[in-house]
């Protein structure tokens, strides 16, 4: 049980557990199949993380009726970051990059395997979990795409949030060699 609030029971495990999940998923699977599997596992946990976040927020605001969806944007992102940080995942910073695309980034995200030498972003559990948590919160589908990852030597993990259509367009541009920020500008 997390001792920072009396709410949903939360398990604590070392970050190496996520690395073990990634390794187990890669056994007898292609890289794409393994990534999809870990993303799906993350997606399946989104509801639980949202419940825990709601309870954590009610405790920290000393308001039993606190509703994360009712917070002003800056307040929401601040509290979401504090929630994940309190669980040992790391801090998140939010930035609105485009009218329909935001970014969450972290220089210390727990899922990243620093020094892994990955060729692609590897925080698949996080992309699935955030997609479900945030979709449930706003009441409509939201896609998440990791475009930078400490597992491949980037300075931070960088998750884009937006519609599936917008992020698919960004993904296609990046696959063709375009820089992420240029792909985002092309959305206009």
């Amino acid at each position: 049980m997390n001792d920072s609030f009396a709410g949903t029971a939360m398990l604590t495990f070392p970050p190496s557990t996520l690395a073990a999940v990634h390794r187990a998923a890669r056994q007898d699977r292609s890289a794409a199949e393994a990534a999809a599997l870990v993303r799906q596992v993350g997606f399946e946990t989104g509801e639980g993380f949202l419940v825990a976040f709601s309870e954590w927020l009610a405790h920290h605001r000393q308001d039993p009726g606190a509703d994360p969806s009712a917070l002003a944007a800056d307040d929401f992102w601040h509290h979401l970051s504090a929630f994940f940080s309190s669980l040992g995942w790391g801090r998140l910073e939010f930035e609105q990059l485009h009218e329909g695309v935001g970014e969450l980034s972290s220089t210390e995200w727990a899922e990243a395997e620093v020094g892994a030498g990955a060729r692609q972003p590897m925080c698949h559990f996080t992309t699935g979990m955030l997609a479900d948590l945030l979709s449930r919160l706003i009441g409509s589908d939201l896609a998440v795409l990791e475009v930078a990852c400490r597992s491949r030597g980037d300075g931070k993990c960088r998750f884009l949030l937006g519609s599936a259509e917008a992020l698919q367009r960004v993904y296609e541009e990046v696959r063709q060699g375009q820089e992420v920020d240029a792909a985002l500008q092309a959305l206009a």
Side-chain angles (χ1 to χ4, degrees):
M1 179 76 133
N2 182 335
D3 62 359
S4 66
F5 68 100
T8 298
M10 296 293 287
L11 299 176
T12 303
F13 53 82
S16 61
T17 303
L18 289 168
V21 168
H22 284 270
R23 282 191 307 277
R26 286 192 300 263
Q27 288 186 350
D28 302 322
R29 288 180 187 84
S30 70
E33 290 170 327
L37 176 62
V38 176
R39 263 192 307 277
Q40 184 61 36
V41 170
F43 189 84
E44 296 291 330
T45 69
E47 181 178 17
F49 274 97
L50 178 57
V51 168
F53 174 52
S54 298
E55 292 172 354
W56 179 92
L57 181 66
H59 175 77
H60 279 77
R61 291 181 63 112
Q62 298 179 344
D63 175 4
D67 177 3
S69 65
L71 296 173
D74 287 343
D75 204 21
F76 169 79
W77 296 115
H78 167 77
H79 285 297
L80 185 68
S81 176
F83 167 71
F84 279 113
S85 185
S86 76
L87 297 176
W89 284 84
R91 290 176 304 209
L92 291 166
E93 293 184 25
F94 176 80
E95 182 179 353
Q96 190 69 45
L97 300 176
H98 181 272
E99 183 177 315
V101 179
E103 172 186 290
L104 284 173
S105 64
S106 179
T107 58
E108 60 192 24
W109 198 244
E111 186 174 4
E113 295 178 57
V114 177
R119 293 179 42 187
Q120 301 294 325
M122 295 290 296
C123 297
H124 306 305
F125 181 93
T126 301
T127 59
M129 179 264 296
L130 287 174
D132 187 58
L133 184 157
L134 295 171
S135 292
R136 287 176 183 279
L137 191 68
I138 65 172
S140 66
D141 288 341
L142 184 77
V144 177
L145 173 66
E146 188 180 19
V147 294
C149 186
R150 293 171 51 238
S151 295
R152 71 172 189 187
D154 298 323
K156 62 184 174 181
C157 294
R158 192 173 172 206
F159 305 94
L160 301 183
L161 321 167
S163 71
E165 178 184 323
L167 295 189
Q168 183 64 38
R169 288 175 53 199
V170 170
Y171 175 74
E172 291 300 329
E173 293 291 325
V174 169
R175 277 189 55 206
Q176 294 177 17
Q178 188 76 262
E179 292 294 321
V180 172
D181 294 327
L184 286 166
Q185 288 178 357
L187 290 176

